[in-house]
Every structure is written in C-alpha cells, then in structure tokens.
Amino acid sequence: PPVHRYARSRQDALHRSFGPRTDRASRHECPFRAERQADGALAKIVLALPENTVIVVTAGRGSVKNAGSKQALQTSAIHVPLLLRPPNCEAQNIAGIVSTIDVAPTLYELAQVRPPQRIQGQSLVSMSPRDWSLSRLRNPDGPDQTALCVADWKLIVTHGDPKATYLYDLKAAADETLNLANDPSHLDTLENMM
C-alpha cells in the first residue's frame, strides 16, 4: 500500500490529510460521509498534539466485501491504509510494497531508539520499498490461508482440508477472478512463489 508522509505546515498538513469537509450534501451524494467525519475528528485530535508528535494512522485489515468469502485474502481485504506523519520530514508517497510490520522499526528510528535485536520489518524512513508482502489469515471456522504478493503477482494457499492454491496476475486481472495456479504457462511463476 502507498504510504503518505506529511511535513508541511501543521495547519496545511491537517487540512490536506485529515481536513474536515464543509459540504452538506445529502446521504446519497456523500457515500464517504463516515470517512469524512472520522477525518474531521482526527484533525481535532492532531491539533491538540505537540508539534513533535509522530502520527500513525492504520488499520488491522482492509475492507472485505463478503467476510465469509472463500477469498478473504483478496487485495481489498489485505490492503490497509497507512499514513505516517513524522515532524520535520519532507512529504512523499511510497508507491512500493510496505507492510504493517514496518511500523514499529519506523517508530524506533524516528525516536532515535535502538530497536530490539529480533524486531521484524524495516524502517520506512530509510528503506527502499520491499518487493514482497505476506499476509496470514487464521480462521477459527475454516482452513487458514496465506497470501504472498510479489510485484504484480499474488499467491494464496489454503491450508488444511480442503487444500487449495490460487495464483493471480494482478496486472492482467486486478479483480482476482482468474486463477492461474493450474495453467501450465504459469508453472514457473507458481514454483518460484512457492
């Protein structure tokens, strides 16, 4: 997911990042009213914080159209928002792959504190974007699943019974409807990701 780092003037950053909306459109014209209300509430919190505060906004999961679906690791479910606003840093977007495991090392670096030896992830302050991400879904009502995303490819493996493997070319079919795991022309890609 892209990461946004903001370090403009405090007021400018708040209004661009979390700014309250002043329009009074009807419910049908504002499908994102809840998000706008959350943005406004977050802006009030941010204004009350000291200037040197690092702000991190993220979520544990993305949005799932059908929580009981066979593909609970679809891109919309594992793509989480991540906004990082450290003080005195230049605003930028990171278009490469990042992971929520990168948040803790980032906070250690920003605080200028040495991280524990066994910490996972890499700091977003000084890293080059990674070329992979791994997601795991532990399902108490069914089999566990693991998703590996590498560049424009996603591999999903369902563990347990029934076992299943899905391979998606996200560039060719971003909606993840064409499973290429059994396509002989993509056997090399499948083997490399396994």
Side-chain angles (χ1 to χ4, degrees), residues 14-37:
L14 290 173
H15 286 289
R16 288 180 186 235
S17 304
F18 312 113
R21 309 295 179 174
T22 57
D23 57 22
R24 298 281 182 209
S26 74
R27 188 169 74 157
H28 301 291
E29 294 169 319
C30 276
F32 302 108
R33 178 171 277 173
E35 289 88 344
R36 289 178 179 173
Q37 287 175 338

Short mmCIF file of all heavy atoms in Angstrom, two decimals, residues 14-37:
data_model
loop_
_atom_site.label_atom_id
_atom_site.label_comp_id
_atom_site.label_asym_id
_atom_site.label_seq_id
_atom_site.Cartn_x
_atom_site.Cartn_y
_atom_site.Cartn_z
N LEU A 14 -2.87 19.16 8.17
CA LEU A 14 -4.12 18.68 8.73
C LEU A 14 -5.26 18.78 7.73
O LEU A 14 -6.03 17.86 7.57
CB LEU A 14 -4.47 19.46 9.99
CG LEU A 14 -3.57 19.18 11.17
CD1 LEU A 14 -3.89 20.13 12.30
CD2 LEU A 14 -3.73 17.75 11.61
N HIS A 15 -5.36 19.92 7.07
CA HIS A 15 -6.47 20.07 6.14
C HIS A 15 -6.32 19.21 4.91
O HIS A 15 -7.30 18.72 4.37
CB HIS A 15 -6.67 21.54 5.79
CG HIS A 15 -7.29 22.30 6.91
ND1 HIS A 15 -8.60 22.14 7.27
CD2 HIS A 15 -6.76 23.19 7.77
CE1 HIS A 15 -8.87 22.91 8.31
NE2 HIS A 15 -7.77 23.55 8.64
N ARG A 16 -5.11 18.96 4.46
CA ARG A 16 -4.92 18.09 3.31
C ARG A 16 -5.06 16.62 3.69
O ARG A 16 -5.55 15.82 2.92
CB ARG A 16 -3.57 18.33 2.66
CG ARG A 16 -3.51 19.65 1.94
CD ARG A 16 -2.16 19.82 1.33
NE ARG A 16 -2.07 21.14 0.77
CZ ARG A 16 -1.75 21.39 -0.47
NH1 ARG A 16 -1.45 20.41 -1.28
NH2 ARG A 16 -1.69 22.62 -0.91
N SER A 17 -4.58 16.26 4.87
CA SER A 17 -4.58 14.86 5.28
C SER A 17 -5.88 14.45 5.95
O SER A 17 -6.44 13.42 5.64
CB SER A 17 -3.45 14.60 6.27
OG SER A 17 -2.22 14.97 5.73
N PHE A 18 -6.33 15.26 6.90
CA PHE A 18 -7.47 14.88 7.72
C PHE A 18 -8.59 15.89 7.65
O PHE A 18 -9.52 15.84 8.43
CB PHE A 18 -7.06 14.76 9.19
CG PHE A 18 -5.83 13.97 9.44
CD1 PHE A 18 -4.68 14.57 9.92
CD2 PHE A 18 -5.81 12.62 9.20
CE1 PHE A 18 -3.54 13.84 10.17
CE2 PHE A 18 -4.67 11.88 9.45
CZ PHE A 18 -3.54 12.49 9.93
N GLY A 19 -8.46 16.87 6.77
CA GLY A 19 -9.30 18.04 6.78
C GLY A 19 -10.79 17.79 6.84
O GLY A 19 -11.30 16.92 6.14
N PRO A 20 -11.47 18.54 7.68
CA PRO A 20 -12.92 18.42 7.74
C PRO A 20 -13.55 18.91 6.45
O PRO A 20 -13.05 19.82 5.81
CB PRO A 20 -13.31 19.31 8.92
CG PRO A 20 -12.18 20.26 9.07
CD PRO A 20 -10.94 19.56 8.57
N ARG A 21 -14.62 18.28 6.05
CA ARG A 21 -15.35 18.67 4.84
C ARG A 21 -16.46 19.62 5.25
O ARG A 21 -17.13 19.42 6.26
CB ARG A 21 -15.95 17.45 4.14
CG ARG A 21 -14.97 16.32 3.91
CD ARG A 21 -13.90 16.73 2.94
NE ARG A 21 -13.00 15.59 2.79
CZ ARG A 21 -12.03 15.56 1.96
NH1 ARG A 21 -11.75 16.56 1.19
NH2 ARG A 21 -11.25 14.49 1.87
N THR A 22 -16.68 20.63 4.46
CA THR A 22 -17.70 21.61 4.81
C THR A 22 -18.95 21.46 3.98
O THR A 22 -19.94 22.13 4.24
CB THR A 22 -17.14 23.04 4.64
OG1 THR A 22 -16.70 23.19 3.30
CG2 THR A 22 -16.00 23.29 5.60
N ASP A 23 -18.93 20.56 3.00
CA ASP A 23 -20.14 20.42 2.17
C ASP A 23 -21.25 19.74 2.96
O ASP A 23 -21.02 18.99 3.87
CB ASP A 23 -19.84 19.67 0.87
CG ASP A 23 -19.25 18.29 1.10
OD1 ASP A 23 -19.44 17.74 2.20
OD2 ASP A 23 -18.61 17.77 0.19
N ARG A 24 -22.43 20.04 2.60
CA ARG A 24 -23.61 19.49 3.28
C ARG A 24 -24.44 18.68 2.30
O ARG A 24 -25.66 18.81 2.25
CB ARG A 24 -24.46 20.61 3.88
CG ARG A 24 -23.74 21.42 4.92
CD ARG A 24 -23.74 20.66 6.20
NE ARG A 24 -23.09 21.46 7.23
CZ ARG A 24 -22.44 20.95 8.23
NH1 ARG A 24 -22.35 19.65 8.36
NH2 ARG A 24 -21.89 21.72 9.13
N ALA A 25 -23.81 17.83 1.53
CA ALA A 25 -24.52 17.04 0.52
C ALA A 25 -25.40 16.00 1.20
O ALA A 25 -25.18 15.61 2.34
CB ALA A 25 -23.53 16.37 -0.41
N SER A 26 -26.39 15.55 0.47
CA SER A 26 -27.29 14.53 1.02
C SER A 26 -26.56 13.21 1.18
O SER A 26 -25.47 13.01 0.67
CB SER A 26 -28.48 14.34 0.08
OG SER A 26 -28.07 13.63 -1.07
N ARG A 27 -27.18 12.28 1.88
CA ARG A 27 -26.59 10.97 2.12
C ARG A 27 -26.27 10.26 0.82
O ARG A 27 -25.26 9.59 0.71
CB ARG A 27 -27.56 10.14 2.97
CG ARG A 27 -26.96 8.84 3.44
CD ARG A 27 -27.84 8.23 4.46
NE ARG A 27 -29.02 7.68 3.81
CZ ARG A 27 -29.76 6.72 4.32
NH1 ARG A 27 -29.46 6.22 5.50
NH2 ARG A 27 -30.80 6.27 3.68
N HIS A 28 -27.10 10.42 -0.18
CA HIS A 28 -26.88 9.75 -1.46
C HIS A 28 -25.74 10.38 -2.24
O HIS A 28 -25.11 9.72 -3.05
CB HIS A 28 -28.16 9.78 -2.30
CG HIS A 28 -29.30 9.10 -1.61
ND1 HIS A 28 -29.32 7.74 -1.40
CD2 HIS A 28 -30.43 9.60 -1.05
CE1 HIS A 28 -30.44 7.42 -0.75
NE2 HIS A 28 -31.12 8.53 -0.53
N GLU A 29 -25.45 11.66 -2.00
CA GLU A 29 -24.37 12.33 -2.70
C GLU A 29 -23.03 12.17 -1.98
O GLU A 29 -22.00 12.49 -2.52
CB GLU A 29 -24.69 13.82 -2.85
CG GLU A 29 -25.88 14.09 -3.75
CD GLU A 29 -26.32 15.53 -3.67
OE1 GLU A 29 -26.33 16.10 -2.56
OE2 GLU A 29 -26.65 16.10 -4.72
N CYS A 30 -23.04 11.71 -0.73
CA CYS A 30 -21.82 11.57 0.07
C CYS A 30 -21.64 10.12 0.53
O CYS A 30 -21.91 9.80 1.68
CB CYS A 30 -21.87 12.46 1.31
SG CYS A 30 -21.37 14.12 1.01
N PRO A 31 -21.17 9.25 -0.34
CA PRO A 31 -21.00 7.86 0.08
C PRO A 31 -19.90 7.69 1.12
O PRO A 31 -19.83 6.67 1.78
CB PRO A 31 -20.65 7.14 -1.23
CG PRO A 31 -20.08 8.21 -2.11
CD PRO A 31 -20.80 9.46 -1.72
N PHE A 32 -19.06 8.70 1.30
CA PHE A 32 -17.95 8.58 2.23
C PHE A 32 -18.13 9.48 3.45
O PHE A 32 -17.18 9.96 4.04
CB PHE A 32 -16.64 8.91 1.51
CG PHE A 32 -16.39 8.03 0.34
CD1 PHE A 32 -16.49 8.53 -0.95
CD2 PHE A 32 -16.09 6.68 0.51
CE1 PHE A 32 -16.29 7.71 -2.04
CE2 PHE A 32 -15.88 5.86 -0.58
CZ PHE A 32 -15.98 6.37 -1.85
N ARG A 33 -19.37 9.70 3.85
CA ARG A 33 -19.65 10.59 4.98
C ARG A 33 -18.96 10.10 6.26
O ARG A 33 -18.39 10.92 6.99
CB ARG A 33 -21.15 10.71 5.20
CG ARG A 33 -21.47 11.59 6.41
CD ARG A 33 -22.93 11.87 6.50
NE ARG A 33 -23.17 12.98 5.59
CZ ARG A 33 -24.36 13.43 5.28
NH1 ARG A 33 -25.41 12.88 5.77
NH2 ARG A 33 -24.49 14.44 4.46
N ALA A 34 -18.98 8.82 6.56
CA ALA A 34 -18.34 8.30 7.78
C ALA A 34 -16.84 8.58 7.76
O ALA A 34 -16.27 8.98 8.78
CB ALA A 34 -18.60 6.81 7.93
N GLU A 35 -16.21 8.40 6.59
CA GLU A 35 -14.79 8.68 6.49
C GLU A 35 -14.51 10.16 6.70
O GLU A 35 -13.54 10.54 7.34
CB GLU A 35 -14.23 8.23 5.13
CG GLU A 35 -14.14 6.73 4.98
CD GLU A 35 -15.42 6.12 4.42
OE1 GLU A 35 -16.49 6.79 4.44
OE2 GLU A 35 -15.37 4.97 3.98
N ARG A 36 -15.36 11.01 6.18
CA ARG A 36 -15.19 12.45 6.34
C ARG A 36 -15.36 12.86 7.80
O ARG A 36 -14.63 13.71 8.30
CB ARG A 36 -16.16 13.20 5.44
CG ARG A 36 -15.78 13.06 3.98
CD ARG A 36 -16.76 13.77 3.09
NE ARG A 36 -16.33 13.62 1.70
CZ ARG A 36 -17.03 14.01 0.67
NH1 ARG A 36 -18.21 14.56 0.85
NH2 ARG A 36 -16.58 13.84 -0.55
N GLN A 37 -16.31 12.24 8.48
CA GLN A 37 -16.49 12.54 9.90
C GLN A 37 -15.27 12.08 10.69
O GLN A 37 -14.81 12.78 11.60
CB GLN A 37 -17.75 11.88 10.43
CG GLN A 37 -19.02 12.54 9.94
CD GLN A 37 -20.27 11.80 10.38
OE1 GLN A 37 -20.23 10.62 10.69
NE2 GLN A 37 -21.39 12.50 10.39
#
